[in-house]
Amino acid sequence: MAISTVNPATGEEVTTFEALTEEVIDQKIQRAADTFREYRKSSFAERSRMMLRAAEILDEEAEEFGRLMTSEMGKTLAAATAEAQKCARGCRYYAENAERFMADEEIELRGAKTYVRYEPLGPILAIMPWNFPFWQVFRHAAPALMAGNVILLKHASNVPQCALAIEDIIHRAGFPEGVLQTLLIGSGQVQSVIDDPRVRAVTLTGSEGAGRSVGAEAGENIKPSVLELGGSDPFIVMPSADLEKAVSTAVTSRTLNNGQSCVNAKRIIVHEEIAGEFERRFVESMAALRVGDPMSEDTDMGPLATSQMLEDVADQVRKSVEAGARVLTGGGPMDEPGNFYPPTVITDIPKDSPAYREEIFGPVASLFRVRDIDEAIHLANDTAFGLSSSAWTNDPAEQERFINEIEAGMVYVNRMTESTPEIPFGGAKNSGYGRELSH
């Protein structure tokens, strides 16, 4: 199986790699196991020094890494460069805090000296997605490496050069060669890696289907796993909200990363009292966004990552319209080379349509009107997913209800959901289990 980089803005195949053979995979797993036995003995000071050097490399070469991300998965150069810089911030956060987070916890137990000590697990298989090709890896790698683990990275097959660049950063930072190794393999080769007794844990960020498969395989092997899967996040706007800020944030959130983020505001739920004005402003702002060359400074939104993603998004919108949904702007692929889909808003969405029940992984906002807070919360929870949410209200009682009653791993009030080192990140229901980031 070939693993290829295809420029999503042009459809041009840039470079191709052959998937690793079983023999080479075995060698890499053995190297990880051998490296772990020595690396786990390193001090926090040693690990911190190397992690801080990784942060320096990320900052110094942020634009170069940004261009690589843009060429492989299509996000704007500005967003990609910022992603590299965010990775540097994550590395520094764990370099500076890991020892404190993992300090022994003393327990008072009838005069006995008792304490809890955290120890590394061993080689961890990290199955990472293409949408944030650097950040998703580093938000796992920085804490995992600081804890004394080693990593086998199975990155998405459409971002192989990003995977190799990350491995190179870790090596240049001074970490031992076997601490982070890239496995250029297809999805069909993942099961045997999870099954290998030398691999002690697995983490996956990806689709619900991939999560079910990986979680089941990890369970079969009695190995810990963390799953961060899809999301269909509600963005609720109540009458007391700052309407202008809510509109601008909804646009930013829904089109972040060309609409390809698990924690985008996908379902916009607006109280009927302000729904007409919100809709007018929101649709105007979405329609005004400039879609085009992601390398250009003038571009607001680039292409979807793959031609398959383009087909999937177009199919979900088409089926939703056939079921009765109404398009307010956008609504179909752009007639030009590349995987371009315009910012789209749909409303009057039937319950049996894809826009109601499925995650749309592209710049498509589903707009709903509700009569009151009870209906808003019911609609927010009427989904199999529960990753994050954003509620806009200046009423303290409403804020408390949203925090307590929305079924999601994260609830943000009057601000956009974000993935940041300081805050635990993860979901509920079919959005997965376990947490990343923070302590």
Side-chain angles (χ1 to χ4, degrees), residues 160-310:
Q161 294 182 96
C162 287
L164 294 170
I166 291 166
E167 180 177 347
D168 183 59
I169 291 167
I170 294 299
H171 292 166
R172 284 196 283 151
F175 287 94
E177 190 169 336
V179 156
L180 189 151
Q181 299 176 82
T182 292
L183 301 181
L184 292 180
I185 60 177
S187 58
Q189 297 171 283
V190 168
Q191 180 178 332
S192 63
V193 179
I194 298 175
D195 291 345
D196 195 296
R198 294 167 293 184
V199 175
R200 295 308 314 144
V202 58
T203 180
L204 172 137
T205 298
S207 69
E208 182 182 351
R212 289 181 185 278
S213 175
V214 167
E217 198 65 31
E220 181 71 23
N221 286 277
I222 319 178
K223 295 180 181 180
S225 59
V226 171
L227 303 179
E228 193 260 280
L229 310 178
S232 188
D233 290 2
F235 186 100
I236 304 169
V237 187
M238 299 298 285
S240 65
D242 180 333
L243 192 61
E244 182 177 356
K245 188 174 181 182
V247 169
S248 64
T249 305
V251 172
T252 299
S253 181
R254 190 63 203 97
T255 58
L256 178 74
N257 207 42
N258 304 345
Q260 301 165 122
S261 170
C262 296
V263 289
N264 279 133
K266 296 189 175 76
R267 294 177 298 137
I268 317 295
I269 301 169
V270 188
H271 192 285
E272 63 182 8
E273 186 178 315
I274 55 171
E277 182 63 15
F278 182 96
E279 178 182 298
R280 182 185 66 79
R281 296 189 190 187
F282 182 65
V283 172
E284 286 180 358
S285 297
M286 289 283 280
L289 293 174
R290 292 162 297 191
V291 182
D293 180 3
M295 292 289 186
S296 171
E297 293 181 1
D298 298 329
T299 296
D300 296 314
M301 205 180 77
L304 300 183
T306 67
S307 58
Q308 185 62 57
M309 291 300 306
L310 181 65

